[in-house]
Amino acid sequence: MVELRELPPFRCTLLQASAEVAATLGHRLPAPLTATDAMLWLGPEEWLLLEDVVPPSGPASLVDVSDRYRALAVRGAGAPALLNEGCPLDLADAAFPTGHCARTVFGKAEVILWRPGADEWRILVARSFAPYLLALLHEALADLTAT
Amino acid sequence: MTRLASGGRIDRTRPLHFSFDGRAYTGYAGDTLASALLANGVHLVGRSFKYHRPRGIFSAGVEEPNALVEIDRGPGQREPNVRATVVPLVEGLVARSQNRWPSLRFDLAAAAGLASSVLGAGFYYKTFLGPGRDAWHKRWEPLIRRMAGLGRAPEAPDPERYANRYAHAEVLVVGAGPAGIAAALRAAESGARVVLCDEQAEFGGSLLAEPDAWPQLAADIARLRANPLVTLLPRTTAFSYGLQNFVALAQVIEAANGLRERLWQLRAGRVVLATGALERPIPFSGNDRPGVMLADAARQYVLRWGVLPGRNIAALVAHDTGYAAAFALQDAGAAVAAVLEMRATAPAALLTEAVRRGIRVLPNHGIAGTRGGHRITGLLAAPRNGDGAPDASRATPVACDLLLMAGGWTPSVHLFSQARGRLVWDSALDAFLPGKAREAVTCAGACAGEGLTPGLPVTLLAAGSARAPKAFIDPQNDVTTRDIALAVREGFRSIEHVKRYTTNGMATDQGKTSNMLGLAVVAGELGRSVPEVGLTTFRAPYTPTSFGAFAGRHRGLLFDPVRTAPLHDWAVGQGALFEPVGQWQRARAFPQAGEDMLAAVARECLAVRNAVGIFDASTLGKIEVTGPDAALFLERCYVNAWQKLGIGRCRYGLLLREDGFIYDDGVVGRIAADRFHLTTTTGGAARVLHMLEDYRQTEFPELQVWLTSTTEHWGVIALQGPRARDVLTPLVEGLDWADFPHMAVAECRVAGVPARLFRVSFSGELGFEVNVPASQGPAVWQALLRSGTPHGITPYGTETMHVLRAEKGFIIVGQETDGTVTPDDAGLTWLIGKAKTDFIGKRSLVRPEMLRPDRRQLVGLVPRDRSTLPDEGAQLIASAASRVAEGHVTSAYRSATVGHPIALGLLAAGRARLGETIFATNLSGPATPMEVVAPCFVDPKGERLRG
């Protein structure tokens, strides 16, 4: 079974800085292609902070992007089958283990996908694409449940 | 009935009812439509494409060229050209024959011989290009249109759904015959993810016609099914093999909930192709009659489906497997009238067995002709001459109701070839086999030639057939050996040309049974070998694939993302008219009761000019530019000077490409020394970010600057009009109004929400743009509406926004510009920082072509009659009779403020031609005289926006 729901709004900040400067935040920096509870690695020298932060010491860019995204949760052992309806990545344990994080696409929408738990998945999608993504996911979910 | 009392894999306890051409029949679970029709004695199932010849069931699989029927599952679910041999029988199936009128048994076109006399090889080319072109339009085309074409396309929308699945596997096995199942079992043992697909509903391939193998087959499939790492996909065709083992599979599901098919886009570590081999038919006169069937297909009908397709059979044999088929039918109760062995002698062991069975074998024989209308009734057995042709003068008639053709085997190398693997001719096996691979792919089983034995070489199979009448090699496209020979005589040498000229192998079966025969005939006519003639290209899809599978869920509202801004729902509630702007849906106008759009726009425009309007500008692209070098970075990219822009001030920025032409524009506000709020056009948001990011990373890596898209973070509400400040003042906290002139920006609170407030104007009126977090947009909008009610606040849409800015002569990138407009052309030279040594595009601006005085320049245009609205895009010509375009109209609107239509245009040397008359072309009448004026119609001194 797969469960799909939208998560309530949350605060997030985009951080761009060298790893040395980012380290002054006091958080453990997630390795490339991974996420912690507090930070998602989005690219070289680029992280999404999920908690309020004080500015790091040193040159850095901090931009509040809390309203840029809407967040979805997908839960269940069948989640990869649902996500692979529109996401071309290999979501098997070996290729996308717990803690993994990736910028990818679902259908024609760009998304950030990460896996906080074995059967827990999160999707961030730009606000204006959310209705499209939700409609696509719900249609796919209905077919997944039926077949 | 020709159903056997026992045997086969059908379930005789589960009868299924179906209809064909309106007649009711019964089959069993496990049947295909073809096996069920044969079980009911139905051989005639269609009429051929060109000649409307009666056609029967030719094969038992995907290669079927003849038995193409229409399956009708209801409105929008009527599918033409379905091969009856691959349709699993289901209760209530409705099938119809195609290409016949008035009925399948009596087709008028065939009776009159309308087509066969004129539609020879190259007919279309000759008719199109020859002196008979008039005849084509007047006579032939109408006739052909009525006669030709297979099937009817459905008219109603398809109510079913099509899914998509991306998948990864260490091993993909295509084909679940013995080789494929063995490969899947081996791969699964290693702990790899394995996908095994097969086009048929049942796994087993050739084993499905080997009853002795069934217990082991069931055990093997059960083992695979029990392995969680193995995905079994029946009714799934691997139809396209792309780069890096990217294979597309079309899976037929037909679930009760309306899910019809699923497209799998699968990336495999290794692909095992176990696609088997297809039996070759044999060219001879009258080989297309119903009842002429591939020998192994007949054997499968007996052993897999318990159907005896003929009671008195004959066989034309060029390969040993033909005997197995004849023996199987005899074992099932058929009489064998004769086996015509095309080779000089039959293999001794098979001959002995045939003699033991009392079967007459005629060596070195061919067929000089067949008889029968809707089904074969007999043939002329004739000894073969030295050239291979049957000698009609020595022929003897043989009565039969089924004729088997055993022409040998062609390995199915389609997918291997699609994967750019080299095919090599194996002269011993007389077949093209997989050679050097370019992908991580292995071929196993018959498609690799394993287990195959040679029969009569295909050139000898076709020898002597090139002069025989009605010897079909591509029955679906009605191509005969004579057509091929004619093409060669007319000078075609390349097999690719012969294919296109004759259409051999170009039907929906893509030549699965006809390509090798076509090659053989060409080789014979040219006196070359088959590999010297070459091979036509194998292209995807391997078998016909529905458009639905490709479209997936991307139809209707999901065809493309529909992006909506934070105030979208409110606008819908107001009954707004919308227009697409890229993927965005934007409110175009807010007509009130009784208003059309023109009236609404006129009212909205006057409200902004005279009171105040409110507008959702959230779709504007927004980029936060941060870092100590942010100003320097902008300085290097945009034409403007940025370093001296004060904190809390804005500037209208212009971005060029390297070629000097305008790429994008937008207001940029300085929030802090190291922080800019940059806006782009709605359509340019993504490409500007990409361009700036490209320069940041590749050209200016030494700069400490970062870019963050905030387009979706900020909701933007524009307030424009002389009363705008009155609306805003009561809601704003933390702003020093005394230091907030035109082109200022400040962080403050609006309606209690943290905001970035811009004082900017795209209307020429006093204006503000309120940026608030997108989720707060609706609440702030409502607060502004309430505050604005006493001031006559009026929501307006994009059309009014366009009119207002055109009245001021403000350009829209993409409307006034088209990628060939310089800053000077647009009258924007004043934006360029005079002291700047460089910016993107600067050097291009001094090329001679860019400095020509006759470049097209932005001007205003007013109709001389003050009433005719020119078309946007209309060419500008010097006189009503001129044919020389000197520019074009870029924007044109009816202006309620000005009181007559206004337009903007690009006109050669336009700024020097103010006061002249120029003509705007008009598609529906004489050109419109226009007065050339300065491109500003309202408040040219700009006093209102500073008010």
Side-chain angles (χ1 to χ4, degrees):
Chain A
M1 284 308 295
V2 185
E3 182 195 332
L4 167 68
R5 66 199 163 90
E6 183 167 2
L7 296 173
F10 62 104
R11 286 191 55 75
C12 62
T13 308
L14 195 89
L15 167 67
Q16 296 184 79
S18 67
E20 297 76 48
V21 172
T24 66
L25 286 175
H27 286 291
R28 180 175 66 83
L29 292 182
L33 289 169
T34 68
T36 64
D37 288 347
M39 292 174 85
L40 310 181
W41 182 91
L42 294 187
E45 307 196 341
E46 186 174 357
W47 296 267
L48 191 68
L49 306 170
L50 302 178
E51 297 176 356
D52 282 341
V53 286
V54 292
S57 341
S61 168
L62 275 176
V63 179
D64 179 6
V65 289
S66 301
D67 281 40
R68 186 159 99 175
Y69 299 112
R70 283 168 68 181
L72 312 178
V74 182
R75 171 183 291 176
L82 174 66
L83 295 171
N84 275 140
E85 170 85 25
C87 172
L89 294 181
D90 187 350
L91 303 180
D93 291 348
F96 206 109
T98 299
H100 209 69
C101 176
R103 282 167 126 163
T104 178
V105 295
F106 191 96
K108 298 178 183 175
E110 280 185 42
V111 297
I112 297 169
L113 175 69
W114 80 104
R115 188 179 188 182
D119 288 337
E120 286 284 344
W121 301 75
R122 296 282 184 275
I123 303 172
L124 292 185
V125 62
R127 170 172 294 273
S128 69
F129 284 90
Y132 163 81
L133 180 67
L134 278 165
L136 198 52
L137 276 167
H138 277 295
E139 194 184 296
L141 181 62
D143 283 335
L144 199 68
T145 313
T147 52
Chain B
M1 288 292 286
T2 60
R3 181 77 75 179
L4 299 169
S6 64
R9 297 177 65 83
I10 47 158
D11 184 350
R12 287 177 176 77
T13 67
R14 287 175 58 203
L16 299 173
H17 305 91
F18 70 102
S19 78
F20 179 66
D21 278 346
R23 262 191 82 176
Y25 298 101
T26 305
Y28 293 119
D31 263 324
T32 63
L33 175 58
S35 69
L37 286 167
L38 288 171
N40 286 280
V42 178
H43 276 258
L44 172 66
V45 293
R47 291 269 172 179
S48 73
F49 177 50
K50 277 205 298 192
Y51 302 147
H52 288 235
R53 287 173 63 86
R55 291 287 165 76
I57 293 163
F58 185 86
S59 74
V62 292
E63 71 270 38
E64 178 62 38
N66 276 346
L68 303 180
V69 298
E70 175 182 284
I71 304 290
D72 194 344
R73 299 182 302 125
Q77 295 165 276
R78 198 184 68 206
E79 189 177 2
N81 301 335
V82 178
R83 292 149 295 159
T85 50
V86 302
V87 177
L89 193 67
V90 291
E91 178 64 29
L93 184 83
V94 176
R96 288 185 209 99
S97 59
Q98 302 184 144
N99 218 32
R100 78 290 191 269
W101 188 83
S103 74
L104 180 59
R105 296 189 72 79
F106 178 74
D107 178 79
L108 200 60
L114 281 179
S116 58
S117 58
V118 295
L119 291 174
F123 164 77
Y124 291 93
Y125 295 97
K126 289 165 184 164
T127 314
F128 272 123
L129 301 176
R133 278 164 89 168
D134 280 354
W136 167 258
H137 291 298
K138 290 185 180 133
R139 193 190 324 165
W140 297 122
E141 189 187 352
L143 175 72
I144 303 286
R145 282 206 184 281
R146 199 162 56 246
M147 302 275 304
L150 271 175
R152 303 179 293 163
E155 286 116 26
D158 186 344
E160 292 182 295
R161 292 189 308 287
Y162 298 81
N164 181 63
R165 176 76 57 81
Y166 292 102
H168 294 75
E170 279 68 61
V171 180
L172 165 68
V173 182
V174 179
I181 288 176
L185 283 169
R186 261 197 315 279
E189 280 167 13
S190 70
R193 285 177 296 175
V194 178
V195 173
L196 173 61
C197 71
D198 193 281
E199 60 205 6
Q200 297 198 47
E202 257 194 301
F203 279 6
S206 63
L207 298 177
L208 296 171
E210 308 282 350
D212 293 344
W214 291 349
Q216 184 61 45
L217 174 63
D220 289 344
I221 293 171
R223 267 176 69 199
L224 288 169
R225 188 163 285 134
N227 187 331
L229 289 174
V230 176
T231 303
L232 300 181
L233 298 177
R235 296 192 76 184
T236 302
T237 302
F239 64 88
S240 171
Y241 196 137
L243 287 175
Q244 296 180 321
N245 274 355
F246 189 68
V247 185
L249 319 174
Q251 178 189 21
V252 180
I253 297 172
E254 291 181 349
N257 77 337
L259 180 64
R260 174 112 194 270
E261 293 181 21
R262 175 177 283 131
L263 177 70
W264 292 72
Q265 300 183 69
L266 190 144
R267 182 85 63 186
R270 173 155 289 275
V271 174
V272 178
L273 295 176
T275 47
L278 297 173
E279 193 167 25
R280 292 174 187 163
I282 302 172
F284 57 87
S285 286
N287 64 346
D288 66 327
R289 287 192 204 287
V292 180
M293 188 182 286
L294 293 173
D296 200 63
R299 189 182 67 85
Q300 291 178 52
Y301 283 118
V302 171
L303 294 171
R304 179 173 171 188
W305 287 289
V307 174
L308 189 60
R311 303 210 157 269
N312 182 35
I313 71 163
L316 181 63
V317 171
H319 189 277
D320 296 355
T321 48
Y323 290 88
F327 298 163
L329 267 75
Q330 190 189 40
D331 290 344
V336 181
V339 170
L340 312 184
E341 171 60 78
M342 293 182 75
R343 294 171 289 190
T345 53
L350 293 171
L351 187 59
T352 306
E353 173 66 10
V355 169
R356 188 189 71 75
R357 287 168 168 265
I359 295 174
R360 180 169 59 131
V361 177
L362 302 174
N364 195 33
H365 263 63
I367 293 178
T370 61
R371 283 176 297 147
H374 296 154
R375 182 164 174 189
I376 190 168
T377 57
L379 56 84
L380 289 170
R384 302 179 86 201
N385 286 331
D387 65 354
D391 185 346
S393 68
R394 292 190 285 153
T396 51
V398 176
C400 65
D401 62 0
L402 184 76
L403 171 57
L404 311 185
M405 291 182 287
W409 294 86
T410 301
S412 290
V413 294
H414 309 68
L415 289 175
F416 183 82
S417 179
Q418 280 185 30
R420 302 170 305 137
R422 184 185 293 275
L423 299 176
V424 290
W425 177 253
D426 185 310
S427 53
L429 206 52
D430 192 52
F432 285 103
L433 292 180
K436 187 172 163 33
R438 298 244 205 150
E439 297 281 350
V441 57
T442 312
C443 294
C447 74
E450 293 164 13
L452 294 184
T453 56
L456 189 66
V458 68
T459 45
L460 300 180
L461 198 65
S465 69
R467 307 290 175 273
K470 295 190 171 68
F472 287 87
I473 60 173
D474 182 342
Q476 190 178 154
N477 265 355
D478 273 346
V479 180
T480 65
T481 54
R482 280 185 165 183
D483 293 324
I484 303 280
L486 176 63
V488 173
R489 279 204 307 283
E490 292 186 355
F492 292 93
R493 293 292 181 271
S494 159
I495 191 64
E496 294 282 4
H497 291 156
V498 172
K499 165 184 156 177
R500 282 157 181 77
Y501 191 59
T502 61
T503 71
N504 188 53
M506 291 172 70
T508 60
D509 63 351
Q510 292 207 68
K512 288 186 176 59
T513 55
S514 60
N515 273 351
M516 283 305 295
L517 294 182
L519 279 180
V521 174
V522 172
E525 292 297 296
L526 292 174
R528 295 182 189 164
S529 68
V530 168
E532 283 172 333
V533 172
L535 197 58
T536 53
T537 310
F538 292 100
R539 290 197 179 85
Y542 173 65
T543 49
T545 306
S546 66
F547 284 112
F550 292 108
R553 303 190 189 279
H554 295 111
R555 78 276 177 265
L557 287 174
L558 293 178
F559 174 69
D560 203 39
V562 175
R563 304 176 67 184
T564 55
L567 278 311
H568 181 80
D569 291 346
W570 181 87
V572 170
Q574 297 295 308
L577 298 172
F578 288 87
E579 67 170 341
V581 180
Q583 290 176 324
W584 292 98
Q585 280 289 317
R586 301 192 70 183
R588 191 177 185 195
F590 293 85
Q592 295 181 348
E595 278 185 338
D596 61 7
M597 200 185 76
L598 272 180
V601 169
R603 173 182 50 76
E604 293 172 11
C605 284
L606 291 173
V608 173
R609 294 271 177 243
N610 298 323
V612 59
I614 185 168
F615 174 70
D616 181 2
S618 301
T619 63
L620 276 182
K622 293 165 273 294
I623 300 169
E624 192 94 334
V625 185
T626 56
D629 295 323
L632 180 56
F633 175 74
L634 291 176
E635 187 96 2
R636 290 185 184 178
C637 294
Y638 279 68
V639 306
N640 320 66
W642 297 102
Q643 308 244 47
K644 290 179 184 162
L645 181 66
I647 294 167
R649 294 294 181 263
C650 305
R651 188 159 284 169
Y652 169 64
L654 193 64
L655 181 67
L656 311 182
R657 300 183 309 210
E658 290 286 9
D659 57 18
F661 297 122
I662 293 173
Y663 191 59
D664 203 76
D665 68 352
V667 167
V668 182
R670 191 164 200 173
I671 306 299
D674 59 354
R675 182 170 294 253
F676 289 81
H677 179 121
L678 183 154
T679 66
T680 75
T681 57
T682 293
R687 64 168 185 258
V688 169
L689 180 68
H690 292 158
M691 173 177 165
L692 295 180
E693 191 65 47
D694 185 9
Y695 276 88
R696 187 184 81 89
Q697 294 187 24
T698 64
E699 300 294 327
F700 314 132
E702 75 282 6
L703 297 189
Q704 288 196 331
V705 61
W706 295 275
L707 306 167
T708 305
S709 170
T710 50
T711 301
E712 302 263 12
H713 175 73
W714 296 111
V716 184
I717 302 168
L719 280 174
Q720 303 275 307
R723 312 294 289 275
R725 189 189 286 110
D726 303 328
V727 177
L728 205 49
T729 307
L731 298 176
V732 174
E733 302 164 71
L735 178 72
D736 177 7
W737 282 102
D739 183 28
F740 202 59
H742 179 57
M743 297 306 267
V745 59
E747 292 186 298
C748 58
R749 295 180 88 83
V750 176
V753 175
R756 281 183 183 170
L757 182 62
F758 286 75
R759 181 168 168 191
V760 290
S761 175
F762 199 41
S763 65
E765 300 300 325
L766 170 67
F768 301 91
E769 289 184 1
V770 185
N771 286 249
V772 291
S775 60
Q776 304 297 315
V780 175
W781 178 274
Q782 291 293 345
L784 289 165
L785 279 184
R786 280 193 299 275
S787 173
T789 304
H791 306 287
I793 194 166
T794 300
Y796 66 97
T798 52
E799 189 68 16
T800 290
M801 179 266 284
H802 281 193
V803 176
L804 295 171
R805 65 89 206 175
E807 288 169 349
K808 287 293 295 178
F810 297 153
I811 65 163
I812 285 185
V813 171
Q815 185 150 349
E816 272 63 45
T817 73
D818 59 3
T820 67
V821 175
T822 68
D824 186 61
D825 297 343
L828 297 173
T829 305
W830 59 274
L831 287 173
I832 298 174
K834 302 289 181 297
K836 290 180 67 169
T837 53
D838 202 7
F839 55 84
I840 297 171
K842 177 175 170 66
R843 276 160 285 182
S844 298
L845 293 180
V846 294
R847 288 158 49 218
E849 186 68 22
M850 308 294 250
L851 300 170
R852 282 172 51 160
D854 61 344
R855 288 189 62 82
R856 292 180 176 185
Q857 297 166 337
L858 185 73
V859 294
L861 298 163
V862 177
R864 285 282 181 198
D865 66 3
R866 296 295 188 267
S867 72
T868 305
L869 181 72
D871 291 329
E872 290 183 349
Q875 298 298 318
L876 295 174
I877 50 182
S879 71
S882 170
R883 309 279 292 174
V884 180
E886 299 186 21
H888 66 278
V889 175
T890 57
S891 300
Y893 307 96
R894 296 189 186 281
S895 167
T897 303
V898 178
H900 56 72
I902 59 164
L904 298 173
L906 290 166
L907 177 65
R911 284 197 292 272
R913 297 169 72 174
L914 302 188
E916 285 185 18
T917 298
I918 195 89
F919 291 76
T921 56
N922 184 349
L923 292 177
S924 55
T928 308
M930 309 285 294
E931 180 183 352
V932 181
V933 299
C936 185
F937 304 90
V938 169
D939 185 26
K941 290 182 180 165
E943 288 163 350
R944 297 173 68 94
L945 52 73
R946 298 181 199 283

